[in-house]
Amino acid sequence: MRQIDDAIAARAASQHGLIELRQLEAMGGDRFLAARRVRAGRWRVVAPRVYRLEGAPVTWHQHLLALILATGGIASHRAAAVLHRLTGYRRAPFELTVLRHTRIVRRGATFHETLAFDLVPRTTIDAIPVTTPARTLVDIAGITSERALQALVDAAIRDGACTREELAAAIHTTPKVGHPGLRLVARALERAAGPEPLPESILERSYERVILDAGFPPLQRQVWVHDGRARVLRADYGYPDARIAVEVDSVRFHGQSRFETDRRKRARARSLGWIVLEPTHEQISNDPAGAIRELSDARLQRGLWVPGPHPPASVRR
């Protein structure tokens, strides 16, 4: 009995304090042994045929793995986004992809059934089977807004969670049936494609969309301001030939200390003859016309074309 106890403890230690009945049987145990441990208070049933050993801490990861062990499924959608640490996902409901007809009834859990379960690309994170980052983006596309999806795709490619090629392959190989977001994620990939750096936040992407929708020429991303000896400022956007820089910023996103440092850098850039615009979260969200007028003013000041009549920002009420 000591030998089987050691085997059980070792297996549970590698999977968040859990043991599944078929694993127990492979070690020489059976459901009667499990029942005795449960009656003695040494184990607790946390899902069908899945037990948590006494003393194991209760965690989100443990609960998710318990559902996976009970169904044979894999973490997917929002739960996979948490495991891959995709931008904007720090907490999520328990969400799994499972073979058709193998889901269980569990409050607070969502199961996505498929007949092509064996073809779903997967990896393992912290002992938890999970869809690959590229497949996760495809899955999430059907349950999130287009704007949030674009920011998610941008961040995943920029941060190295997946490559453009991997996402393109996932889009191509994922069945259309049951995946209503395929067209949206393909569009997001198309917008993210190219040699230029990607926006670093949802706020930057929102500003870029406002400016492009207004008819302005595309802004260059990540523009450097130099003083002849060193780099003074890396602006989020700009028209470097016209010495126009745009710093999308807010204390809410960067914190007070970072905000003050950036403000000094912007002042230095202005002293070098640059026009530095500073659209905020509040302006982009609530007064996009104001952001458009400010960029129009800057381009007109440099003698550049602007799309349509926009009252000067200095006279708006």
Side-chain angles (χ1 to χ4, degrees), residues 202-223:
I202 294 175
L203 188 60
E204 289 177 24
R205 171 61 77 176
S206 297
Y207 178 79
E208 185 176 12
R209 193 77 260 151
V210 166
I211 296 307
L212 290 176
D213 288 348
F216 286 92
L219 290 151
Q220 180 177 318
R221 297 170 181 163
Q222 298 182 16
V223 172

Side-chain angles (χ1 to χ4, degrees), residues 47-204:
R49 303 178 306 281
V50 181
Y51 309 91
R52 183 180 73 239
L53 274 60
E54 180 185 19
V58 178
T59 66
W60 182 87
H61 289 69
Q62 181 192 81
H63 195 155
L64 178 62
L65 182 57
L67 296 175
I68 290 171
L69 291 173
T71 61
I74 57 176
S76 64
H77 296 72
R78 290 165 292 184
V82 171
L83 292 172
H84 288 298
R85 300 184 179 181
L86 297 184
T87 298
Y89 286 88
R90 294 295 175 266
R91 302 177 68 89
F94 304 110
E95 204 158 4
L96 288 74
T97 291
V98 299
L99 181 64
R100 179 72 61 85
H101 306 311
T102 60
R103 67 178 179 176
I104 60 177
V105 177
R106 181 59 51 138
R107 184 177 180 181
T110 300
F111 297 91
H112 303 271
E113 295 183 310
T114 177
L115 289 173
F117 178 76
D118 290 341
L119 301 180
V120 178
R122 66 199 68 188
T123 185
T124 301
I125 297 177
D126 198 15
I128 299 175
V130 56
T131 50
T132 62
R135 177 55 185 262
T136 300
L137 291 171
V138 171
D139 289 338
I140 285 178
I143 57 174
T144 191
S145 69
E146 187 169 2
R147 176 178 291 186
L149 176 64
Q150 184 68 64
L152 196 60
V153 169
D154 287 347
I157 294 173
R158 184 188 66 243
D159 298 340
C162 71
T163 65
R164 292 177 171 89
E165 292 74 20
E166 288 169 342
L167 182 53
I171 294 169
H172 179 71
T173 58
T174 300
K176 293 182 179 179
V177 177
H179 291 87
L182 276 174
R183 183 177 299 178
L184 292 179
V185 73
R187 189 183 307 163
L189 176 59
E190 182 179 352
R191 289 172 178 166
E196 277 201 7
L198 292 166
E200 295 188 346
S201 72
I202 294 175
L203 188 60
E204 289 177 24

Side-chain angles (χ1 to χ4, degrees), residues 225 232-234 247 258 260-270 276:
V225 176
V232 172
L233 171 71
R234 194 201 73 173
E247 271 282 78
R258 165 78 180 274
E260 294 297 334
T261 299
D262 287 348
R263 187 164 64 176
R264 289 192 293 271
K265 292 180 179 179
R266 293 165 188 168
R268 174 61 176 150
R270 291 189 178 99
V276 182

